[in-house]
Amino acid sequence: ALYRNGKITKDTFEKYRVAENTICENNVLKLLQNSPKLLVEEVVISKWEEFSILPTIVSNFTILAEDSMVQNAEQGMVQLESKNRICKQVEQLKAVLQKYNEQGKIGFIPMEERDKFVYSNMLKTIMTAAENKGIPLCIDDRVVTSYSCIGKAPIYNSFDLMKMMLLKKHIMLKFY
């Protein structure tokens, strides 16, 4: 009905129709003629915005929506900012790792454990490599809360290692 009445373009109508698959034309026509107000849930408003239909809808109706929508949008923005910050940190880490790899200062071991728990796989792989190669292992202390060994390879707490490096002036406080 919005398309037939010239309120939205054919392209917009087709995109929305394909996405939604159902249109009850008679009910929409009655709604357009009889209802100045329309209570709309957040998901629908988001879809209308995505398909550029929202301006047309608000020009034909007074929209009522949940008051939490603005708060939800703000929370979504905060989460997106956090994800973007994390992505930037990961990109920076990747560049640093590539630089050290090119300089021969860092090497990588293949992840040998394969199941659905990725972090567990990484931990199993690195612990197995430490044991098989007899190389000391440094991991986040949230993983292992006491000093121990894997075979003959000792495990070191990363925070204690960093603290000692700070005390011995190998790193500055701002990096600790």
Side-chain angles (χ1 to χ4, degrees):
L2 290 173
Y3 166 62
R4 286 203 175 88
N5 290 337
K7 303 284 185 179
I8 60 175
T9 66
K10 182 177 182 178
D11 185 51
T12 300
F13 169 74
E14 289 298 327
K15 285 180 188 174
Y16 192 72
R17 185 176 63 86
V18 168
E20 296 303 316
N21 293 329
T22 59
I23 295 176
C24 301
E25 188 171 337
N26 291 335
N27 290 340
V28 173
L29 285 172
K30 287 179 188 174
L31 182 66
L32 281 168
Q33 295 167 355
N34 302 324
S35 297
K37 292 183 181 179
L38 190 59
L39 179 58
V40 184
E41 69 176 334
E42 185 173 353
V43 172
V44 174
I45 290 176
S46 294
K47 279 284 189 192
W48 286 345
E49 177 62 23
E50 177 184 341
F51 290 104
S52 303
I53 298 173
L54 188 57
T56 302
I57 299 294
V58 297
S59 69
N60 288 279
F61 299 100
T62 299
I63 301 296
L64 301 174
E66 303 159 54
D67 62 358
S68 63
M69 277 187 65
V70 173
Q71 185 180 16
N72 291 346
E74 288 171 355
Q75 288 174 349
M77 292 298 295
V78 168
Q79 290 171 351
L80 184 58
E81 288 170 6
S82 176
K83 287 177 184 178
N84 288 338
R85 188 174 57 255
I86 291 168
C87 285
K88 186 176 180 179
Q89 290 171 340
V90 169
E91 288 172 359
Q92 290 171 341
L93 176 60
K94 179 183 173 185
V96 167
L97 291 174
Q98 286 174 332
K99 179 182 92 176
Y100 287 139
N101 187 36
E102 290 166 4
Q103 295 173 356
K105 302 249 183 211
I106 191 170
F108 298 100
I109 60 170
M111 193 165 90
E112 297 169 1
E113 303 293 331
R114 301 281 181 207
D115 63 41
K116 63 183 177 180
F117 303 106
V118 175
Y119 188 75
S120 296
N121 292 344
M122 293 183 327
L123 183 59
K124 281 194 257 181
T125 293
I126 200 166
M127 290 174 84
T128 302
E131 179 180 16
N132 291 342
K133 297 174 190 278
I135 300 171
L137 175 63
C138 181
I139 58 177
D140 187 323
D141 78 335
R142 292 173 289 183
V143 178
V144 176
T145 56
S146 64
Y147 291 96
S148 59
C149 292
I150 302 170
K152 295 181 181 178
I155 297 175
Y156 292 92
N157 174 306
S158 61
F159 293 105
D160 289 348
L161 184 66
M162 295 296 290
K163 186 175 182 179
M164 285 308 299
M165 290 180 73
L166 175 69
L167 293 173
K168 298 289 183 180
K169 300 190 186 316
H170 293 286
I171 60 173
M172 295 184 295
L173 183 59
K174 70 179 182 177
F175 298 113
Y176 175 68

